[in-house]
Amino acid sequence: MALIIGNSCLHWGLLSCEGVEFIWDTDYISPGDVHQLLNSPTLEGLLSHILPSSFPKSFCLPTSLFLASVVPSQTLYWQNNPNVKILNLEQVPLHGLYITLGIDRALALWGAGNKWRFPILVIDGGTALTYTGADANHTLVGGAILPGLGLQLASLGKKTGQLPYVIPPESLPQRYELSTQTAIQSGVIYTLISGVKDFVESWWEDFPESSVVITGGDCRLLYNYLQIQYPVIAKRLHIDRNLIFVGMKKIIFNNCNS
């Protein structure tokens, strides 16, 4: 079993040598509840409290929980249990990783490179929108970080006196809108996907044959917008919402060929 502690919620995944078998998300668990769960004598006892009703009955519960976290305050609640194994940057077989690089970015990059070959660029559309690239030698080229789609939209509602909080639309809005809500959507989305286009084109100038993968919670929305506005670029992109789990699987089951 794998757990990714993200900036917005907990992401759970059941992994096997063959791949990512089942995933689900939950809200953060309070420190008291985590303590109670971790006092369960077995991992099965711990997981029985958080498994969704849709969890397949045919799956056997694992004996270990592998954790990757970008929220240190949350990591503290999980780390003192013998059934919990915390992954760190030293376990990701990429070169040139810097000490403050998020483990989520490193795992997604490793998973993408193994799935689509190196060089590779990963665009992670989560709470933060990140770009992370590696060359053919499995060496980190670098990346960039900016507020993600939802965070940009939410910031206007929180930091202004009259602008409303809006959610991302399913389809690309008109560029010039006639209401405050849709004008906010237009401004944020067109600026964001123009930035995606610029980063991708710049990457392809340096690595013309490289694959580019979009992952994260907003990956499908971003891809939909790009399909409408920049269809030539979108046609070359891959989508894998579970890319961090793919990277975790490659490390946990390092003797697998799949």
Side-chain angles (χ1 to χ4, degrees):
M1 186 70 70
L3 168 61
I4 301 166
I5 301 181
N7 288 304
S8 302
C9 65
L10 304 180
H11 309 281
W12 302 85
L14 181 65
L15 312 182
S16 74
C17 194
E18 286 70 38
V20 182
E21 304 289 351
F22 186 81
I23 61 167
W24 74 100
D25 295 340
T26 67
D27 294 331
Y28 283 159
I29 302 174
S30 70
D33 288 341
V34 172
H35 178 73
Q36 182 178 353
L37 293 178
L38 292 182
N39 279 336
S40 301
T42 66
L43 185 62
E44 182 174 353
L46 185 161
L47 293 174
S48 64
H49 296 275
I50 52 87
L51 288 175
S53 58
S54 57
F55 189 85
K57 306 299 182 188
S58 59
F59 288 163
C60 295
L61 290 177
T63 57
S64 296
L65 175 68
F66 290 85
L67 184 150
S69 174
V70 297
V71 186
S73 60
Q74 284 284 319
T75 312
L76 291 174
Y77 308 148
W78 298 87
Q79 63 185 9
N80 295 318
N81 185 278
N83 294 317
V84 179
K85 305 180 189 305
I86 299 178
L87 298 180
N88 54 54
L89 286 179
E90 288 74 20
Q91 295 167 275
V92 183
L94 292 167
H95 308 299
L97 302 184
Y98 55 90
I99 191 170
T100 58
L101 180 72
I103 185 66
D104 55 338
R105 295 174 64 193
L107 288 168
L109 191 62
W110 180 243
N114 278 274
K115 190 170 182 177
W116 285 285
R117 296 185 300 180
F118 292 91
I120 193 78
L121 176 68
V122 174
I123 304 170
D124 191 334
T127 304
L129 178 66
T130 65
Y131 303 89
T132 315
D135 64 19
N137 297 316
H138 302 184
T139 299
L140 179 70
V141 173
I145 305 173
L146 68 151
L149 177 60
L151 190 57
Q152 290 192 44
L153 292 170
S155 66
L156 289 174
K158 292 178 180 178
K159 296 296 184 179
T160 61
Q162 293 187 322
L163 294 180
Y165 173 78
V166 299
I167 61 174
E170 289 296 321
S171 185
L172 189 68
Q174 298 295 317
R175 185 180 291 272
Y176 297 101
E177 289 284 358
L178 294 173
S179 74
T180 299
Q181 178 172 325
T182 54
I184 292 172
Q185 292 173 336
S186 172
V188 169
I189 292 170
Y190 278 96
T191 302
L192 190 148
I193 63 172
S194 293
V196 172
K197 172 181 179 289
D198 182 69
F199 270 92
V200 170
E201 289 180 336
S202 177
W203 180 260
W204 279 333
E205 287 179 5
D206 295 331
F207 304 97
E209 303 304 318
S210 171
S211 292
V212 176
V213 190
I214 302 182
T215 190
D218 288 332
C219 64
R220 183 62 61 179
L221 273 177
L222 293 176
Y223 183 74
N224 289 345
Y225 302 153
L226 290 165
Q227 272 191 314
I228 297 170
Q229 188 69 9
Y230 306 115
V232 175
I233 288 178
K235 189 175 181 179
R236 290 185 59 184
L237 302 181
H238 302 284
I239 304 176
D240 191 331
R241 191 174 187 270
N242 306 316
L243 203 50
I244 300 175
F245 284 128
V246 175
M248 294 178 77
K249 176 255 178 186
K250 295 299 295 185
I251 292 172
I252 296 167
F253 299 98
N254 57 11
N255 293 321
C256 288
N257 294 321
S258 58

